[in-house]
Amino acid sequence: MKIGVLAMQGAFAEHIALLDRLGVKAVPVRLPQQLDGLDGLIIPGGESTTISKLMLSYDLMGEVKKLAGNGLAVFGTCAGLVLLANDIVNSGITSLGVMDIAVKRNAFGRQQDSFETDIPIPVLGDNPFHAVFIRAPIIEKVGNEVEILARLPDGIIVAARQGRLLAAAFHPELTQDLRFHRYFLDIMA
Ligand code: GLN
């Protein structure tokens, strides 16, 4: 199995390091030909506006969209989640639009721009997951094909899956918990 991490901007090094701990050597992806032969791709957190622009100028937007339509597994965290969405309610940025979710960018008020909290994620087992939110988006609405994986105590949706597409509003790559990435490797396999 071959996995890539989109390495335009943002927390790509952290994803690569975490995968390394799982014994998986990831390919940093900056050019379309580096997508060749990948079974999975991670789109990291960062600044979705910047990542979107860079993906467009390096011809990665159309290519990743096409591959995702042909079964490439894609895992987006934070800004990566925004880039997967087919509806970004408060921004006009170009996204891949492959996942049937409506997303709101920077959805938490100023005081809570960043926070950490333990949330239950049943598909990962009984132990809660330590979720790090940094100027995070939320998922406001999901389509019929989408499975909700995690919510905050107030019901806000913060992780979801649609077939081979996986999205988290928080940053599993900034924790020592390998379960979310392992879950993605299982989806890829
Ligand atoms: N606020 C960022 C955006 O919308 C996401 C922040 C992050 O990825 N940590 O692009």
Side-chain angles (χ1 to χ4, degrees), residues 45-48 78-79 105-106 134-135 171:
E47 208 41 59
S48 53
C78 203
R105 288 185 63 209
N106 302 330
I134 304 171
R135 291 177 54 77
H171 288 266

Side-chain angles (χ1 to χ4, degrees), residues 59-180:
D59 290 330
L60 281 159
M61 192 66 85
E63 201 53 35
V64 172
K65 190 180 167 98
K66 195 171 84 195
L67 291 170
N70 287 330
L72 176 73
V74 187
F75 176 20
T77 58
C78 203
L81 171 150
V82 174
L83 286 158
L84 284 171
N86 65 2
D87 182 9
I88 305 165
V89 301
N90 58 345
S91 165
I93 67 163
T94 304
S95 66
L96 293 163
V98 289
M99 202 168 167
D100 193 9
I101 53 177
V103 162
K104 185 175 182 188
R105 288 185 63 209
N106 302 330
F108 297 93
R110 193 173 276 209
Q111 264 131 26
Q112 290 214 358
D113 257 356
S114 303
F115 62 100
E116 304 186 11
T117 185
D118 291 336
I119 52 174
I121 307 183
V123 291
L124 301 184
D126 290 339
N127 287 342
F129 195 90
H130 189 69
V132 180
F133 292 85
I134 304 171
R135 291 177 54 77
I138 59 169
I139 301 173
E140 286 197 337
K141 249 191 346 218
V142 302
N144 290 334
E145 310 287 296
V146 178
E147 179 190 358
I148 294 168
L149 301 182
R151 294 178 185 268
L152 289 173
D154 55 9
I156 286 176
I157 304 166
V158 289
R161 172 181 178 180
Q162 180 179 347
R164 290 166 66 75
L165 307 174
L166 182 64
F170 47 90
H171 288 266
E173 78 284 5
L174 299 183
T175 66
Q176 304 304 313
D177 198 330
L178 307 176
R179 286 179 295 162
F180 219 108

